[in-house]
Structure formats: C-alpha cells, structure tokens
Amino acid sequence: MVRRPIAVFLACLYALGGACAAPASAASRATGGHAGTGMRGSPASRPDACLARHAVPQRRHGVGGLTHALEPREPGPDEVARMSADLARRLGAAQRDDTARRDDTARRDDTARRDDTARRGSAPGTLERITVPVWVHIIRDRALGLPDAAVSRQIAVLNTAYSGGYGGADTGVRFELKGITHTDNRSWFRDPIGYEEPMKKKLRAGGPETLNLYIAQLSRLVLGYSTYPYWYDDEPVLDGVVIDWRSVPGGPLRDFARGFTAVHEIGHWLGLLHTFENGCKAPGDSVDDTPAEAYPTNGCPSKKDTCPAPGGDPVHNFMDYAQDRCMREFTAGQGVRVHQMWDAYRRPAPREAGAGPQKAAASIEGPAADGADDGVPSAAEGGEEPVMEAQGDARGTGR
C-alpha cells in the first residue's frame, strides 16, 4: 500500500497545471512529514512546497514567464549551504589523508602522486576520466513512451555534451550504457513523481556510482528532476534522474528536444547547482568561472547581464534554464566540481571497483490502470501500489 498526501498534491496539480508533486512517501519517511534531517532528499514534501517551488520561481524568472521545467527536488538555500559545508569537510579530510599518504610513499610512487593531483582537478585539462555506468529504465503506458532506439541517441548526446563537443570545457565525464529495463505501468508512466519510491525500489540497480535514468511522462511544467550526491547516504534507493520521454533527442517537445534536459539533470546528479543559485549573492553555484546570475534564462537571448559582478550571464551553460537550442557548454570549473563531488560521494570503494550492477535488467509488465486518459492514474485514487509481474524474458542492452 502506498499512501500519498493526495489533498496537498492534487490541489497544486490542478491549480498549477500539473506542476506540483512530490515523492509518494516523502511526507511519511520522517517525523513531521520531513524526509530526513534538514529536508534532505525531498524539499518538495514541505506543506508550503507548492508556493516555494512554483510561485517564487515564476516571480524571479523575469519577463516572458517560464520556458523551462521546475524541478521538484531542487534544494533550498539552507540545504545548499549544508551540502557545500559537507563537501568542504570531506575534501579537507581527503586532502589530509592524501598528504599523509604521499609523505609515506613519495620516493617510491611519485608518478601516482602526480596522477592523484590531476584527479583532484588542480591541473585544468588533466582531469581523470570518470566513466559512469548507466541503467535506463523505460516506463510505458502500453504503446505510449520512449522507443528503445532513442536511448542510444540520448547517451550519445550526454557524451558529446560532457566532453565539450558542443562547446566549452571537457568535464572528463563519459557515460556507458549497461542496460535497459522495460516497465508497462500506466500509473508510474503518468505520475513518476507520485510513485517515485515504489518505482525506484523495483527498478534501481548499482551503487552510488551508477546512474539510474528513469524515463516516463511528467507534467507540462516539469521536464525532469534529480537527486544530489549529498543525499545518497540517507536515501540510496531514491538516487537517480527522472526525465520526460518527450525531451530526448528528436522528441516532440519543440523547445526541449535535443536531449539537454538529461544533460542538465545529470549535472545535478553529479553535484552541479544551477548557475543562478543564490542570485547575485556569493557563493552562487560555488563555481568560480560561471558568472553570477540573478534569475534563470528564458528562451534563447543573445546575451543577458543581471548582476553587477563582471561577466555576462552564462546563458549557454547547461545548468541554466535556456531552451535546448541555446545550451552548449560546461566550464572547466564545473568539471573540477564534478570530480570533487565524485571523489567525495560517488567514487566506488576499492572493493567495489569493477563490480557490476546489483541486479540484472528486467522486462517488467503490469496491468494498465483503468479509466479515461486524463493524466491522473486511476490507481492513485485508491492509493494502491500497482501490482507488478516480472517476466522471464529479461532484456539488456550494453555497449
């Protein structure tokens, strides 16, 4: 049985055109409806989530209204401050450990010391290659949903974007497709936010280093959302990225059909914040070479400068909110931050190196919910978790 705070979420859903939702059990995982200490992992579960996640961002987006999705799991300023403090603490501890180790082995292992320095990002352009294993989970409503052929196009876009192929810096991150799962479930397809926990519990594979990309259909103002590395220890089963199947390369969303929604959300999964984080106030997004930005970019302006500090707004950065045709780059500083986050939160322990996913990909089918195609799953009305039946013809697609 999955209990969902229907009154709160449906009120937002209809008032805001389907944009407000939160994980199905977010309100029940901790005392007072909070999902862990300091709202970690589920800031959208607060009673004021609709106002905090919708009304306020619309005011700060400036003239022209919203042209990009709102993100249900976007952390607030207090959570960002905790994330930054924890990263600094972990990096400081790691640096002390590395210094002690190098003092012990410098004479015997000078080459390894130089490699470690490069990995830490102190030498731009020499970042160690990070290869992220990817499991793609396609959620469908019978014939409606992402075709398998689109998966390879999305992975190719990720590798081009993160290697600097569209412009900007090479972050040193590459993505390797390990497999695809297939799930036919109308409720999960049409409400992946509301059914987040049962969906991810059923499908998730791998450890903190494994990207689980769930592809379903979100509401008209939500193209995708992601968890952050900092949250993994508290809620590992919820770790991953969810995107709308219509935003993949060649999808039907006119302004967001180049696959850059996944690029943006995976940036969060790797630890990057929005370029407009904290507006014009320090520390912004904690990356030195992304100029401060007072509010997100709408559409695709030729230029924009909203803060008094030097430098125009990074309107072409993947971590802004511009349309796909306007996005093309990460910065070298963002690449360094990704590597810091990877070392602090996602790099597999030595004993896990080379290990495969914790469970195999499966083709899973479940009964489609009855009722009219109104965008609200019938199963949600009774609060029942859909009954899932695992099939024997497991399929996996690798590279």
Side-chain angles (χ1 to χ4, degrees):
M1 176 78 68
V2 175
R3 299 185 181 276
R4 301 191 298 161
I6 296 175
V8 174
F9 299 138
L10 289 188
C12 298
L13 187 70
Y14 291 114
L16 296 166
C20 185
S25 59
S28 62
R29 280 196 295 272
T31 304
H34 291 186
T37 303
M39 294 302 299
R40 183 173 299 177
S42 298
S45 63
R46 294 191 300 269
D48 63 344
C50 295
L51 293 176
R53 290 291 300 113
H54 299 283
V56 174
Q58 287 189 53
R59 287 200 299 269
R60 73 180 184 181
H61 278 213
V63 178
L66 290 171
T67 61
H68 197 283
L70 298 166
E71 295 166 86
R73 279 186 173 270
E74 182 181 348
D78 291 344
E79 183 74 351
V80 169
R82 281 189 289 270
M83 291 163 60
S84 298
D86 190 71
L87 175 64
R89 179 184 62 80
R90 293 189 183 218
L91 291 177
Q95 185 176 16
R96 289 191 295 273
D97 291 344
D98 287 349
T99 299
R101 184 167 60 251
R102 288 196 298 267
D103 286 345
D104 291 338
T105 63
R107 293 180 180 178
R108 296 180 290 108
D109 203 2
D110 186 65
T111 300
R113 180 183 61 183
R114 289 195 301 269
D115 289 345
D116 187 68
T117 299
R119 176 171 63 82
R120 293 294 173 186
S122 58
T126 60
L127 293 173
E128 181 197 35
R129 176 70 58 84
I130 294 172
T131 300
V132 180
V134 182
W135 282 87
V136 174
H137 306 291
I138 297 176
I139 318 298
R140 303 180 63 86
D141 180 4
R142 297 180 179 176
L144 188 60
L146 187 75
D148 279 15
V151 173
S152 60
R153 296 198 299 269
Q154 181 64 76
I155 297 296
V157 165
L158 294 178
N159 281 318
T160 302
Y162 280 85
S163 67
Y166 298 116
D170 182 352
T171 66
V173 179
R174 302 295 184 271
F175 301 87
E176 181 178 356
L177 180 64
K178 292 296 185 181
I180 305 173
T181 70
H182 303 82
T183 304
D184 185 0
N185 186 289
R186 184 174 189 267
S187 297
W188 292 6
F189 176 76
R190 295 185 179 276
D191 190 7
I193 302 175
Y195 287 97
E196 179 180 37
E197 188 164 327
M199 177 181 71
K200 290 183 175 180
K201 278 185 175 179
K202 188 76 173 182
L203 300 177
R204 194 183 186 283
E209 77 288 350
T210 301
L211 170 62
N212 283 259
L213 180 61
Y214 303 86
I215 305 180
Q217 182 165 300
L218 292 154
S219 64
R220 68 181 180 89
L221 287 182
V222 181
L223 290 177
Y225 68 98
S226 175
T227 59
Y228 287 73
Y230 173 67
W231 298 337
Y232 183 86
D233 287 346
D234 281 356
E235 295 180 309
V237 74
L238 297 183
D239 187 63
V241 171
V242 180
I243 63 168
D244 194 300
W245 69 277
R246 297 166 293 184
S247 71
V248 302
L253 292 180
R254 183 183 62 183
D255 295 324
F256 303 98
R258 299 188 181 184
F260 293 164
T261 292
V263 174
H264 175 101
E265 299 301 338
I266 291 167
H268 291 318
W269 185 83
L270 290 167
L272 295 179
L273 298 168
H274 290 128
T275 52
F276 50 84
E277 186 68 41
N278 209 33
C280 299
K281 298 179 181 178
D285 65 350
S286 298
V287 176
D288 291 339
D289 58 1
T290 54
E293 187 176 20
Y295 54 81
T297 298
N298 291 329
C300 186
S302 59
K303 61 181 179 179
K304 171 170 158 268
D305 191 357
T306 58
C307 291
D313 291 4
V315 297
H316 301 299
N317 196 281
F318 285 116
M319 300 313 295
D320 201 347
Y321 266 6
Q323 295 172 353
D324 279 14
R325 64 191 174 94
C326 203
M327 290 183 168
R328 60 173 180 252
E329 64 189 20
F330 290 107
T331 67
Q334 287 174 316
V336 170
R337 181 175 173 86
V338 163
H339 282 256
Q340 291 173 337
M341 284 283 184
W342 184 265
D343 286 341
Y345 298 102
R346 295 206 179 277
R347 180 177 294 278
R351 61 184 177 83
E352 297 173 344
Q358 294 174 354
K359 57 185 177 182
S363 178
I364 302 174
E365 297 181 358
D370 295 331
D373 185 9
D374 55 5
V376 180
S378 298
E381 297 175 4
E384 296 289 340
E385 179 179 348
V387 177
M388 304 301 293
E389 179 182 356
Q391 305 298 311
D393 57 336
R395 289 186 286 169
T397 303
R399 287 179 63 188

